[in-house]
Amino acid sequence: MRKGIGSRLRVASVATVLMLAGQASAIDSPATSAVTREAVDGVSLSEWTARWWRWANAQRVAPYMDPDGRLCELGQEGPVWNLAGTNGRFQPRRQCVVPEGRHLLLPIINMASYQTGEDVTCEELQAGAAINNDYLVSAVVLLDGQPLGDMRLHRVKSDGCFRMDPDDDDSRLAAADGYWLMLKPLTPGRHTVSVGANYGAPEGGAYSQMRQTFEYVLHVGGRTQITLVAPPAMMEASAP
């Protein structure tokens, strides 16, 4: 933890470079049309990231600890479906069924800084959340095997600081900073989202050098059922 900042830092997702992709993060492709920075349901991307942190902290089990997709539906409501990273200590492949028509909020690699005392200012919280994100080494996101462009263009900071409970003016303040993608609703069927990124901060506490990979297999609109049809039986010919 950085000295002089009385807050604790947490990571929603930290990741290592996907070796398959190589330099893919710097390549634009048609798949980038799946990404939007426009407001969703009248709510800005910055505000959606603050809502993500509230969502992650409100669940009985941290969504980023999900080993295989069993926690995908925790607390999901509204027009945006939240995805999650990990704590950097495992590499999950999660299977999730996602309702059709939902946007997907993907945390590539990011941090939040929480107030631990009234003497901690919003500016200090923002500095704590930013420290590792100023040292992004690499970030790659693939959608169905196609790179989604340069992830350095997708840094999102919270608008100042926000209350962890928006209905309680006395709840603790937090600030968030990191790299996020808002994906437009995907077509019905099976899709794969693969993420890799890593920090390289000379200072920044426990997460300054973290790296990880994770992947989602998303079944939009329900799992696809494959029915195997047996070939017709061959009739045995016989001589007259």
Side-chain angles (χ1 to χ4, degrees), residues 126-208:
Q126 289 175 302
I131 184 170
N132 291 340
N133 291 293
D134 289 338
Y135 295 93
L136 180 70
V137 174
S138 182
V140 176
V141 179
L142 306 179
L143 174 60
D144 296 331
Q146 297 298 311
L148 291 181
D150 186 353
M151 293 300 105
R152 295 181 185 276
L153 302 178
H154 296 280
R155 186 171 179 177
V156 181
K157 301 180 181 182
S158 58
D159 293 329
C161 295
F162 56 92
R163 295 286 178 186
M164 288 304 294
D165 182 348
D167 299 322
D168 182 359
D169 291 339
D170 294 325
S171 64
R172 61 179 175 168
L173 279 176
D177 193 330
Y179 298 85
W180 301 78
L181 288 183
M182 181 70 81
L183 300 178
K184 299 174 185 177
L186 300 177
T187 57
R190 184 181 185 276
H191 298 274
T192 301
V193 178
S194 305
V195 177
N198 64 292
Y199 288 133
E203 297 180 19
Y207 301 114
S208 59

Side-chain angles (χ1 to χ4, degrees), residues 19-95:
M19 301 305 292
L20 291 177
Q23 300 285 329
S25 62
I27 302 173
D28 287 324
S29 77
T32 58
S33 63
V35 178
T36 181
R37 293 186 68 92
E38 299 296 321
V40 177
D41 201 31
V43 177
S44 69
L45 178 56
S46 178
E47 173 61 20
W48 279 117
T49 65
R51 294 185 182 190
W52 186 98
W53 283 104
R54 293 182 184 126
W55 164 78
N57 279 269
Q59 306 313 312
R60 65 183 186 275
V61 181
Y64 50 81
M65 297 302 292
D66 188 353
D68 51 19
R70 69 186 68 180
L71 305 180
C72 284
E73 296 184 0
L74 281 181
Q76 302 284 6
E77 58 183 20
V80 173
W81 186 277
N82 294 311
L83 301 177
T86 79
N87 63 356
R89 298 179 180 178
F90 67 114
Q91 299 179 6
R93 188 172 190 263
R94 298 168 179 148
Q95 298 263 352

